[in-house]
Amino acid sequence: MTQRRPMVAGNWKMNGDAKLAKALFVEFNTTLSGHSPEVVLCPPATYLESVKHEFEQSALSFKQSVIKLGAQSVSEHDVGAYTGEISASMLKDLGCQYVIIGHSERRSLYGETSHTIAEKFAAAKKQNLTPILCIGESSSEREANKTFKVIGDELNTIIERNGINAFDNAVIAYEPLWAIGSGNSATPEQAQEVHAFIRKRLLEVSPLVGENIRILYGGSVTPSNAADLFAQPDVDGGLIGGVSLKPTDFLSLCTIAMSV
Ligand SMILES: O=C(CO)COP(=O)(O)O
């Protein structure tokens, strides 16, 4: 079986500041060793430079291979009259390697549709940014036994627009809406069931993509539930919201990701 490198990505959402960037790197310098998951930091766009600065000042000799910069969203357009938007090439200029696409908050609060998300995925790939594609069902969809239908449809929209090879090197985050910020994480069994479904779906189209793709779990991950979640065979790490704002706890998630 392929050894997929675990990943822990921190989505700050609209939180944090330059001080948080500094505090995180103090923690990284003292805690992270060469034996580390891939860590992706996704601060608000205004703090990408601050995180990059701390990263460059950091004493971590292996930092290039370990800590990566990511954005929380990207425009589906290359350039033009789109007030307030940031293009994939601009994120590249800032040193980003990853971008979160299709977060449920973007879908529900800002009206991003499956179509827009597929276009954003394409825009990111065009600039060699790695998409972290978020998919997940609401509590009513789960209660109506529609989880696999929702997840399958979200994957299909991306495959139809971009082809299966667009998932080469991409990352998927399974984030059930009911688990985000609720303190009510999916159980390890619930997460594994959906992750296995996602991997099987991709394996059917491309064995190579299905085997290699990293599928993160997101939704109320904490140092107390991470070990059981990350130990599941198809869970390759986590996309972390609230705990990514707490340097010590975030670092303990990174340690847990390597120890399971
Ligand atoms: O939405 C999330 C990450 O993108 C998860 O947020 P929480 O970890 O705060 O539940």
Side-chain angles (χ1 to χ4, degrees):
M1 197 181 105
T2 319
Q3 270 299 336
R4 293 180 294 270
R5 184 167 185 204
M7 173 182 281
V8 178
N11 175 11
W12 294 13
K13 309 191 179 184
M14 201 176 74
N15 297 295
D17 51 24
K19 272 193 245 150
L20 176 61
K22 204 175 267 300
L24 266 171
F25 277 87
V26 167
E27 200 72 34
F28 286 148
N29 281 331
T30 50
T31 315
L32 268 192
S33 69
H35 188 58
S36 159
E38 189 168 3
V39 179
V40 182
L41 299 178
C42 306
T46 49
Y47 297 119
L48 283 167
E49 285 282 10
S50 309
V51 171
K52 194 168 137 201
H53 174 76
E54 294 303 330
F55 173 87
E56 281 162 359
Q57 301 297 308
S58 158
L60 296 167
S61 55
F62 57 95
K63 63 190 177 187
Q64 298 292 358
S65 61
V66 176
I67 301 172
K68 308 274 166 59
L69 200 56
Q72 296 178 13
S73 184
V74 65
S75 170
E76 62 272 38
H77 304 290
D78 290 341
V79 68
Y82 302 104
T83 301
E85 290 292 277
I86 303 179
S87 73
S89 66
M90 293 168 185
L91 295 177
K92 262 305 242 218
D93 278 350
L94 283 168
C96 287
Q97 285 172 265
Y98 286 87
V99 59
I100 297 172
I101 289 179
H103 193 280
S104 64
E105 287 149 18
R106 301 289 322 168
R107 295 180 195 250
S108 66
L109 302 172
Y110 301 99
E112 290 187 6
T113 62
S114 299
H115 171 76
T116 328
I117 289 157
E119 294 301 317
K120 285 173 187 270
F121 195 101
K125 291 293 292 188
K126 203 166 144 190
Q127 291 296 330
N128 285 325
L129 284 172
T130 301
I132 302 176
L133 175 73
C134 298
I135 53 181
E137 81 288 1
S138 66
S139 57
S140 56
E141 287 163 342
R142 175 163 279 267
E143 277 155 26
N145 285 324
K146 287 189 181 150
T147 300
F148 296 133
K149 163 103 178 74
V150 170
I151 301 280
D153 286 351
E154 287 176 351
L155 288 175
N156 284 347
T157 317
I158 302 291
I159 296 171
E160 279 159 20
R161 165 66 179 82
N162 298 282
I164 186 68
N165 290 336
F167 276 109
D168 212 13
N169 287 324
V171 176
I172 293 178
Y174 169 54
E175 296 209 315
L177 275 58
W178 44 271
I180 295 176
S182 65
N184 177 29
S185 161
T187 64
E189 296 71 27
Q190 285 171 324
Q192 169 57 24
E193 187 184 30
V194 178
H195 283 229
F197 170 82
I198 295 169
R199 193 174 308 286
K200 183 162 169 284
R201 197 67 181 245
L202 297 175
L203 276 167
E204 283 163 3
V205 194
S206 164
L208 197 65
V209 169
E211 191 61 42
N212 289 330
I213 198 161
R214 285 177 291 185
I215 309 175
L216 312 182
Y217 168 76
S220 298
V221 178
T222 66
S224 16
N225 61 20
D228 289 341
L229 286 162
F230 294 172
Q232 299 304 309
D234 289 297
V235 177
D236 303 308
L239 178 56
I240 316 299
V243 169
S244 72
L245 306 171
K246 300 176 184 161
T248 311
D249 286 353
F250 185 64
L251 261 290
S252 66
L253 295 185
C254 298
T255 309
I256 292 167
M258 288 315 285
S259 66
V260 291

